[in-house]
Amino acid sequence: MTEDSDKSVLERLASLPTAIHPTASPTGDEVAFYYDVTGRNELHVLDVETGTIEQWSDGEVPRNARWPVVWGADGDRVFFHLDDDGDEQNDIYAIDRSGTTEPVVEMDGQVTLSDVGSDGETLLVGSSRDGQMNLYRHDLSADETTKLTDYDRAVWGAILSPDCDRIAYGTNESDDDTNYDVYVADIDGSNPRNLNIGETGAEAMPVDWGPEGDQLLVSDNTPDLNRCGVYDLATDEVTWVGDGDYEEVPIAFLDDGTKLLATRTRRAATVPVVYDIESGTANEFDLPEGVSVFGRTSDHCLSDNRVLVSHTTPTTRKELLAYDLETDASETLLEADHGDFSTDDFADAEYFRFESDGVPETPAKAVEHDPYDELEIGALFYDSGVRSSPLIVNPHGGPRAQDSKSFDLYTQFLVQCGFSVLQVNYRGSTGRGREFVEELYDDWGGAEQGDVATAVEHVLETRDWIDEDRVVVFGGSYGGYSAYWQAVQYPDLYAASIAWIGLTDLREMYETTMPHFRTELMDVNLGSPDENPDLYTERSPITHVENVDAPMFMVHGVNDRRVPVSQARLFRDALDDHGYEEGVDYEYEELGAEGHASSDIDQKIRMFELLADFLDRRVETTTAAADD
């Protein structure tokens, strides 16, 4: 491939227009969403009946579309989150149809809009202003913000009752770090009541209020697989739906509260389903296998008994649909935009499972383990079509997340670069139930990393056309931690590693990340450094930096507040201290005006250029895009 053709492919891929955070208006006749068809992320509004799209913003909204947009109760303006160059220390702004923008809620720390009241006066926001993420009420008329909760653990999932007299939310007051309970309180935060849904150590969360305010739609993972329930606030009884065969996530009440909308996970696909609450019968949406995503709880309903749904497959980019709940017919509101690519240009995902005891055959260089429980681990494989093919293993972030049968731009970019791609839903991933998630507790850098390495070995054994001398590990966030850890724990497997916005020093991460990430991510999975000092040291990649034995590329945004850039700087300095030479043994890049990754087209192009350049120089790829 020539340099010009390489640049053309990556720019064309990164520039494909993407619709993000679609949300239906209160009347259901319009859809607001972020859209970067102009080359920059802007707020657009689609008329459902005519299909016309109007651009409301002109540079006022953030370039990075990480945080959602929410309609005002009157349907005449949209609230959005605005930060400084991706640092996620958001304030809440509003924009109207004329493009006029104004600040609405400005506070120190991270501010997130949880719900908008139907009274047109109330906003429910979360904020880390005082340290931990707690709830605040903002009165739009008085322009006053009042603190409602003061918990030591973060508050999530807050929703307003239909009459705006009460709030429901999830938090944890127990001694078990893994626990989450559902609370209902008065609008001023007084009289909080724990509904005691599920057992201690399980996670229960509120999702939606019933139309009369006498019921709550809730989720709970007490029985292992997450389930959907309707809580009667008068009788304190819960009606559960489903047979427990799938992990299911409630979305919202439908109609007059007699039905509910949910999604179920099946073999890395997400399937929408409607339950009749009284009978418990379920009807799955008639859509191709892939991933279907809904907007906010109250912002997915369109007119004429239809719901707004985003749908994607591994080879088909996101499209916006109006799905008719009576006829199971769908109407395309915004087509998937593939530019001058065909869906045939993209690699499909092969889903497979393999057995892993968390201890691969490849010797561990940092920490040795006895075998763990043998589990069936799911994975996705993308064949580049190149023979012989180099391989990139791409562990997902989170770690509480999963790779799924959706269109993944970075995966398809790597395929265009000639790499087959392996994604592993290691133990600790979602979609397989509570017990599978808890396999990661107190064991970061343990069995889940063994699962990743075992997956690589499995692919090398079952696909003899994969070149074992050209295997690369690449990941971002917790996937970046995985890239660092794979490089120091199983260096014999890899020809190179790419760690993007990854964790390297767990104790320093605990001290510098945002408070709600400290309590909800690190305390849950690792305990505190005071409780488990040896674990924090042992499972930090920086402790074993001398094991790096192949070219490493470290990339980090300077404005990252989730995983501060100090994580990369510390590892770079440790490499220097151990005699590694920058430009020879490792490469290092800090990304200005960027935080914890970005959806901005220019910033994606920059990242693609960095990846392509490193891979071309360090792994000697023969790219599939050479014939472009």
Side-chain angles (χ1 to χ4, degrees), residues 14 45 277 301 306 327 334 404 445 474 600 626:
V45 174
I277 296 171
C301 289
R306 298 179 298 170
T327 66
L334 184 67
S404 60
F474 161 55
D600 177 65

Side-chain angles (χ1 to χ4, degrees), residues 275-423:
Y275 275 105
D276 180 279
I277 296 171
E278 183 175 357
S279 67
T281 57
N283 179 48
E284 290 189 358
F285 280 27
D286 185 16
L287 292 172
E289 183 180 67
V291 171
S292 298
V293 179
F294 296 93
R296 289 164 36 87
T297 297
S298 57
D299 300 334
H300 64 275
C301 289
L302 303 173
S303 55
D304 300 324
N305 201 35
R306 298 179 298 170
V307 293
L308 175 67
V309 59
S310 301
H311 183 262
T312 177
T313 74
T315 60
T316 306
R317 303 187 74 243
K318 182 188 296 183
E319 59 182 352
L320 302 186
L321 305 175
Y323 193 91
D324 192 308
L325 297 173
E326 292 183 357
T327 66
D328 283 325
S330 59
E331 174 190 355
T332 301
L333 301 179
L334 184 67
E335 293 184 358
D337 193 334
H338 300 101
D340 58 1
F341 292 93
S342 163
T343 56
D344 293 336
D345 294 325
F346 302 127
D348 204 355
E350 173 197 345
Y351 179 79
F352 67 93
R353 288 185 174 182
F354 63 96
E355 296 293 329
S356 173
D357 63 6
V359 180
E361 294 182 5
T362 302
K365 296 297 180 68
V367 180
E368 294 186 0
H369 301 282
D370 292 329
Y372 294 79
D373 292 338
E374 189 164 83
L375 297 177
E376 195 175 46
I377 305 298
L380 296 167
F381 182 78
Y382 296 81
D383 183 354
S384 68
V386 174
R387 300 293 184 269
S388 64
S389 175
L391 175 71
I392 285 184
V393 57
N394 177 219
H396 63 71
R400 193 156 187 180
Q402 64 171 318
D403 287 310
S404 60
K405 291 183 178 178
S406 60
F407 187 88
D408 188 310
L409 185 64
Y410 277 82
T411 295
Q412 299 300 340
F413 161 70
L414 294 170
V415 168
Q416 291 290 324
C417 288
F419 286 87
S420 295
V421 178
L422 171 65
Q423 297 176 329

Side-chain angles (χ1 to χ4, degrees), residues 76-116:
D76 288 330
R77 64 176 181 168
V78 172
F79 298 104
F80 63 94
H81 300 77
L82 186 64
D83 65 5
D84 293 327
D85 293 328
D87 69 359
E88 297 188 81
Q89 304 306 287
N90 310 314
D91 292 317
I92 307 300
Y93 278 64
I95 185 170
D96 64 19
R97 295 176 185 274
S98 70
T100 301
T101 305
E102 63 175 347
V104 178
V105 182
E106 294 180 294
M107 291 193 287
D108 292 337
Q110 186 179 83
V111 180
T112 63
L113 181 53
S114 298
D115 205 359
V116 174

Side-chain angles (χ1 to χ4, degrees), residues 593-606:
E594 187 170 324
H596 200 66
S598 176
S599 65
D600 177 65
I601 287 177
D602 289 342
Q603 291 173 334
K604 285 189 293 188
I605 291 174
R606 176 176 64 178

